Amino acid sequence: MRYPTLSLAAFAALVLPTATLAQPVTYQLDPDHTYPSFEADHFAGASIWRGKFNTTHGTVVLDPQAQTGSVDVTVDMASVNTGNAELDDHLRADKFFDVKRYPTATYKGDKVHFKDGKPVEVEGTFTLHGVSRPLTLKLLSFKCYQNPIIKKEVCGTEATASFDRSDYGVSFGKDYGFFMKTTLHIQAEGVRQ
């Protein structure tokens, strides 16, 4: 009696369990749920001014299985919103953000650190006022869910980082004793593409 012969590939396909290799997933930032905000000193501890940027776009790519990812975000600096129109105009002017010369700020993260299958930190480069420097974002939370309204997976995070704004050439107020430390709080949600 002759038995049919199987090639090694066919045998492997029939006998060995198949594993789906995870692929990187791209998330498009949702402009209606993504707002970088900031805190900055006013007169050396008199108060803390807060504001946000209304217009942000970008993408996040994540591969939890490989524990890799990237972040590419652009912020429209003219969209600054402190709730004070006069202050917003001052921030857009050449003594501060100088949005005519530097209309955007960017963050490009090329190293995402994971813990227990979730991203917890991003190392990257922050460019503000024409100056690029390393900046690490700490992710305080991270959650993915199936959005019942748009019928797509959405992932969201609350991230934070601090930097010295004078390192980026934004030192208005330093001569008056303003502290240069600026803290970012970034609420962001991305829709799976």
Side-chain angles (χ1 to χ4, degrees):
M1 177 182 274
R2 299 186 80 186
Y3 295 97
T5 58
L6 291 174
S7 71
L8 185 57
F11 177 78
L14 290 172
V15 177
L16 298 176
T18 58
T20 305
L21 296 177
Q23 296 292 322
V25 178
T26 299
Y27 297 87
Q28 187 78 37
L29 291 182
D30 178 351
D32 293 329
H33 292 89
T34 301
Y35 293 100
S37 61
F38 61 89
E39 296 178 349
D41 171 70
H42 192 240
F43 281 103
S47 62
I48 296 174
W49 283 85
R50 294 174 175 86
K52 67 176 182 173
F53 294 93
N54 291 333
T55 306
T56 302
H57 66 273
T59 57
V60 175
V61 178
L62 295 175
D63 186 340
Q65 185 170 343
Q67 296 198 353
T68 61
S70 63
V71 177
D72 189 347
V73 179
T74 300
V75 178
D76 176 0
M77 298 303 288
S79 72
V80 65
N81 180 358
T82 63
N84 179 324
E86 187 176 343
L87 176 58
D88 294 345
D89 288 341
H90 174 69
L91 294 175
R92 293 183 191 106
D94 59 356
K95 289 184 180 179
F96 219 91
F97 294 140
D98 196 0
V99 298
K100 287 184 181 177
R101 289 179 61 201
Y102 309 106
T104 62
T106 62
Y107 184 78
K108 296 185 185 301
D110 54 3
K111 187 179 281 188
V112 179
H113 299 278
F114 285 75
K115 182 178 180 181
D116 300 325
K118 292 183 178 181
V120 294
E121 186 178 85
V122 180
E123 293 180 46
T125 301
F126 180 49
T127 301
L128 173 68
H129 203 250
V131 178
S132 298
R133 297 178 62 87
L135 186 68
T136 298
L137 297 176
K138 302 283 186 188
L139 278 59
L140 304 178
S141 64
F142 183 83
K143 177 183 177 179
C144 295
Y145 65 99
Q146 188 66 26
N147 186 303
I149 299 168
I150 63 173
K151 311 286 191 240
K152 290 186 177 181
E153 180 187 43
V154 174
C155 293
T157 188
E158 175 71 20
T160 188
S162 294
F163 62 91
D164 184 322
R165 64 182 171 88
S166 67
D167 289 343
Y168 294 86
V170 184
S171 57
F172 182 85
K174 192 172 188 175
D175 293 342
Y176 301 125
F178 286 33
F179 302 140
M180 294 291 102
K181 178 182 176 183
T182 301
T183 301
L184 296 175
H185 295 287
I186 305 162
Q187 67 182 65
E189 293 189 23
V191 180
R192 183 172 181 153
Q193 299 302 291

